[in-house]
Structures are given as structure tokens and as C-alpha cells.
Amino acid sequence: MSKQKAARKPTKSFEESLWDTATKLRGSVESSEYKHVLLSLIFLKFVSDKFEERRAELMAEGKDDYLDMVEFCTMQNVFYLPETSRWSYIQQHAKQGDIAIKIDSALTAVEKENASLKGALPDNYFSRLGLHGSKLAALIDEIDNIDTVGDKEEDTAGQPRRSPRRYLLQGS
């Protein structure tokens, strides 16, 4: 990851980014399908960000020889991602006509490498959806602005983290 990208801060909130992605989908797919499209892409971005964060930890510890060993990811509850399932790969190929196939292949590979996900991810969903490649590329660009691991005080949805006990005490 380049220093410029690492230093970049999202200029929009999580909610604003979600709204913008939904706007990009308007007229292309049924609104009932938005969640499947967006959650799949956000999932890929999130697991990839966590994977890259874990790789950086291993490099900082001088364990470069272990970067591509599944066990060194899973021991920290991080999904192992083959290169073609990483967000950087998806983003790099976003403008190609077969991006839907690449996304489907990425999801399949993540599921194959991580047994706990068996049956949890959509199978060939993006290929069947028929969404134009330029729409997918725009979605990928928008989702790239979402910081999924940056703020440890907020969850992925951008809301302050609260312990279950705190929810019970507040009655919410």
C-alpha cells in the first residue's frame, strides 16, 4: 500500500458513501438487490483491509516468510485472501469488461480458502446480475473510500463501539 493511500482519509461518512453507492445502482438493478451488491463488495473491502493490516503486522515483526501462510492470518481471526480476492486486485481490474466475473471468482476463492465461510457468500451473483461494467467500476471506486479498519473506536458502520452491557444499561 502506498504512503499516499495510507495517509488518505475518507471525506464522507460511511452513511454518505452507502447512499452514494445506492444512487449509482438506481435504475440498473431492483432496489431489493442493492444490499446483496453492496454488502458483497463491502465485505471484500473489509476482509482485504484486515488481511493487509495483518500482513503489515507480520512484516513489522520481521516475519516476511510467513506472509502467505494461511495459519498466520487465521490465528488472529483474519481471513486469508488469495491475490485475486484482494481489494487491490479488484480495484486494479475494475475498468475491465469482465469485472463481474472477477468479483464472483474473488468471492468463491475467499470461501474456498476459509472453511468457516462455506455457503455464506453469493455464488456467481455478479455475473448473473448483468450490471454494466462501468456501474461496477463506479461502485468499486465509491466503496474504496470507506475506511473499514481505521478508527478502532467505531465499528464498520461508523457508529461508536458499545459493549453489550452499555446497551443494556441504556435500554437501547
Side-chain angles (χ1 to χ4, degrees), residues 8-79:
R8 185 183 68 183
K9 290 279 187 184
T11 57
K12 299 180 199 177
S13 70
F14 182 80
E15 292 84 357
E16 290 170 321
S17 293
L18 280 180
W19 184 260
D20 288 346
T21 55
T23 300
K24 286 180 182 7
L25 285 171
R26 195 169 288 141
S28 300
V29 296
E30 294 292 321
S31 58
S32 61
E33 296 296 313
Y34 290 5
K35 66 183 175 215
H36 301 293
V37 174
L38 298 179
L39 290 176
S40 296
L41 291 173
I42 290 170
F43 171 78
L44 275 177
K45 169 87 166 66
F46 174 75
V47 296
S48 188
D49 287 350
K50 295 298 277 183
F51 176 77
E52 294 300 335
E53 186 178 65
R54 178 64 181 142
R55 285 174 60 92
E57 288 172 4
L58 288 170
M59 286 189 283
E61 296 169 5
K63 297 179 180 173
D64 293 15
D65 294 341
Y66 305 108
L67 292 178
D68 289 316
M69 295 180 99
V70 175
E71 298 80 12
F72 280 85
C73 289
T74 58
M75 71 189 308
Q76 294 295 323
N77 295 320
V78 173
F79 293 121

Side-chain angles (χ1 to χ4, degrees), residues 41 44-45 48 85-91 140 143-144:
L41 291 173
L44 275 177
K45 169 87 166 66
S48 188
S85 296
R86 298 174 192 168
W87 187 254
S88 58
Y89 180 87
I90 297 296
Q91 192 178 25
I140 290 166
I143 289 171
D144 189 53

